[in-house]
Amino acid sequence: MSEETKEAVNQILTEYLEKHKHRKTSERFAILNEIYSHEGHFDIENLYLMMKNKRYRVSRATLYNNIEILLDAGLVIKHQFGKNLAQFEKAYKYKQHDHLICNDCEKVFEFCDPRIMQIQKMTEDLLKFDVTHHSLNFFGRCKALKENGKCEHKK
Amino acid sequence: MSEETKEAVNQILTEYLEKHKHRKTSERFAILNEIYSHEGHFDIENLYLMMKNKRYRVSRATLYNNIEILLDAGLVIKHQFGKNLAQFEKAYKYKQHDHLICNDCEKVFEFCDPRIMQIQKMTEDLLKFDVTHHSLNFFGRCKALKENGKCEHKK
DNA sequence: GTTTGTGCAAATTTTTTGCATTACA
DNA sequence: TGTAATGCAAAAAATTTGCACAAAC
């Protein structure tokens, strides 16, 4: 992650914590920085192990508590890819995108289509609903499976 | 549910079980019929209680096992509305639709937009992916919350 | 008669909660 | 110094697994 992004997200978190009268603990900034040093999706257990390996002393409870703050601050997005395991991803400066999930190897691919925002806007008007965020997942057979009849199985 | 639908889904399940060399147990048909007698979304615990109340003797393990078969047979759809709790819905003859979830009262609303299928088709071509199903959720503030500043809170 | 499927209970996995202690303000 | 936040461990919630027994085929 670039130095600018690092500074920007730390600044956003600082302002969020001040606005909501939450304390600026070292754990909160350590968690944010760990997340922004990581590419791709992660779950709480990953994050816990990543931080543990770097000799941070942080508990799972603190990660669960603070991921809520980061979600609310718009710094992290939460996904559910069909399993009962919440996956997260950094949100700042990340172009809006959606996901394709292979039923077989469980790999996650990304795509982007501007029409989703149009559908969102129209649905907001039609149903008098304010949308804060969305999640669009396509589930199916990935390219490798389709072309070679097989892909990496996880199970 | 109509008598026709009842017969049709029983027929689909029968054919699926025969094709996959699975046994036609009474539990499998009881579960299917219970699901098709129910309106709206449900989770495994709901289904378990619904069947228990009707004096069916069925275990949660059997429900978890068989919901997989019903999903694979295309008779049931699975949803994840942001919580770590799988929600299900009957699929046969149900018009494709997607969901709006209120962050506050957690109510689920439905909508329908043909452009999603267009996005799906284009994404399949572009990324050489076969889509079997999709899930589009808009999260936000429902009409009641937006207009009256409050809606039913679940928490 | 075989063998798959079932019920039950125990185990696992993921998340939440309670409480004593730490550290921010 | 007062109180929110933390770490840890125990509890809760959702799902999966192991095994003896039942019932399809």
Side-chain angles (χ1 to χ4, degrees):
Chain A
M1 126 178 106
S2 77
E3 211 47 46
E4 286 158 85
T5 304
K6 196 168 197 156
E7 272 173 47
V9 294
N10 276 273
Q11 185 55 30
I12 291 169
L13 181 56
T14 301
E15 282 164 19
Y16 177 91
L17 293 174
E18 283 170 358
K19 186 179 169 200
H20 292 79
K21 306 215 192 313
H22 288 142
R23 293 179 178 176
K24 302 187 205 79
T25 66
S26 59
E27 287 84 358
R28 289 181 167 154
F29 290 92
I31 294 166
L32 179 66
N33 286 291
E34 187 61 37
I35 290 172
Y36 273 81
S37 309
H38 181 262
E39 283 306 315
H41 303 115
F42 62 91
D43 59 42
I44 296 293
E45 193 62 21
N46 289 157
L47 184 57
Y48 176 72
L49 294 175
M50 272 155 46
M51 294 187 78
K52 197 134 211 181
N53 287 341
K54 290 186 183 171
R55 295 168 206 280
Y56 276 119
R57 198 177 104 104
V58 75
S59 73
R60 273 175 265 252
T62 299
L63 294 178
Y64 278 106
N65 285 334
N66 284 305
I67 206 85
E68 290 300 319
I69 285 180
L70 296 177
L71 282 170
D72 196 51
L75 290 165
V76 166
I77 318 176
K78 177 175 178 173
H79 303 294
Q80 300 247 214
F81 296 135
K83 300 267 157 292
N84 283 317
L85 173 66
Q87 301 267 122
F88 301 90
E89 188 175 16
K90 53 194 166 191
Y92 180 76
K93 273 210 176 171
Y94 269 63
K95 195 170 66 180
Q96 176 265 309
H97 63 267
D98 291 286
H99 299 94
L100 288 144
I101 301 108
C102 178
N103 295 333
D104 217 45
C105 63
E106 295 177 18
K107 272 213 206 81
V108 177
F109 305 87
E110 298 183 354
F111 72 96
C112 201
D113 194 302
R115 284 173 293 187
I116 294 151
M117 291 315 279
Q118 294 167 17
I119 296 174
Q120 180 172 313
K121 282 200 191 74
M122 190 186 267
T123 308
E124 286 187 286
D125 286 351
L126 213 61
L127 297 177
K128 314 271 181 246
F129 198 94
D130 279 344
V131 175
T132 54
H133 62 290
H134 79 265
S135 138
L136 171 59
N137 294 320
F138 288 132
F139 297 90
R141 296 155 43 86
C142 75
K143 191 181 174 189
L145 180 59
K146 197 176 165 182
E147 294 182 350
N148 315 320
K150 63 187 175 194
C151 55
E152 282 174 47
H153 290 259
K154 286 215 175 159
K155 270 212 174 174
Chain B
M1 120 180 110
S2 78
E3 211 47 46
E4 286 158 85
T5 303
K6 196 169 196 156
E7 273 173 47
V9 293
N10 275 273
Q11 185 55 30
I12 291 169
L13 181 56
T14 301
E15 282 165 18
Y16 177 92
L17 293 174
E18 283 169 359
K19 186 179 169 201
H20 292 78
K21 305 215 191 312
H22 287 142
R23 294 181 178 176
K24 302 187 205 81
T25 66
S26 60
E27 286 83 357
R28 288 180 168 154
F29 290 92
I31 294 167
L32 180 65
N33 285 290
E34 188 60 40
I35 289 173
Y36 273 80
S37 309
H38 181 263
E39 284 306 314
H41 303 114
F42 62 91
D43 58 41
I44 296 292
E45 193 62 19
N46 289 156
L47 184 56
Y48 177 70
L49 294 175
M50 272 156 45
M51 296 188 76
K52 198 135 210 181
N53 287 342
K54 292 188 183 171
R55 296 168 205 278
Y56 276 119
R57 197 176 105 104
V58 74
S59 73
R60 273 175 265 253
T62 299
L63 294 177
Y64 279 108
N65 286 334
N66 284 305
I67 206 83
E68 291 299 320
I69 285 181
L70 296 177
L71 282 169
D72 196 49
L75 290 166
V76 166
I77 318 175
K78 178 176 176 173
H79 302 293
Q80 300 247 216
F81 296 135
K83 300 268 159 293
N84 281 317
L85 173 66
Q87 300 267 123
F88 302 90
E89 187 175 18
K90 54 194 165 191
Y92 180 75
K93 275 211 173 167
Y94 269 63
K95 196 169 69 181
Q96 176 265 308
H97 62 266
D98 291 285
H99 299 94
L100 287 144
I101 301 106
C102 178
N103 295 333
D104 216 44
C105 63
E106 295 177 19
K107 272 215 206 78
V108 177
F109 305 86
E110 298 184 354
F111 72 96
C112 200
D113 195 302
R115 282 172 293 186
I116 294 151
M117 291 315 280
Q118 295 167 17
I119 295 174
Q120 180 173 313
K121 283 201 190 73
M122 190 186 267
T123 308
E124 286 187 285
D125 286 351
L126 213 62
L127 298 177
K128 314 269 181 248
F129 199 94
D130 279 343
V131 175
T132 54
H133 63 289
H134 79 265
S135 138
L136 170 59
N137 295 320
F138 288 132
F139 296 90
R141 297 155 42 87
C142 75
K143 191 182 172 190
L145 180 59
K146 196 176 166 184
E147 294 182 350
N148 316 321
K150 62 186 175 195
C151 55
E152 283 174 45
H153 290 259
K154 287 217 174 158
K155 268 211 176 176

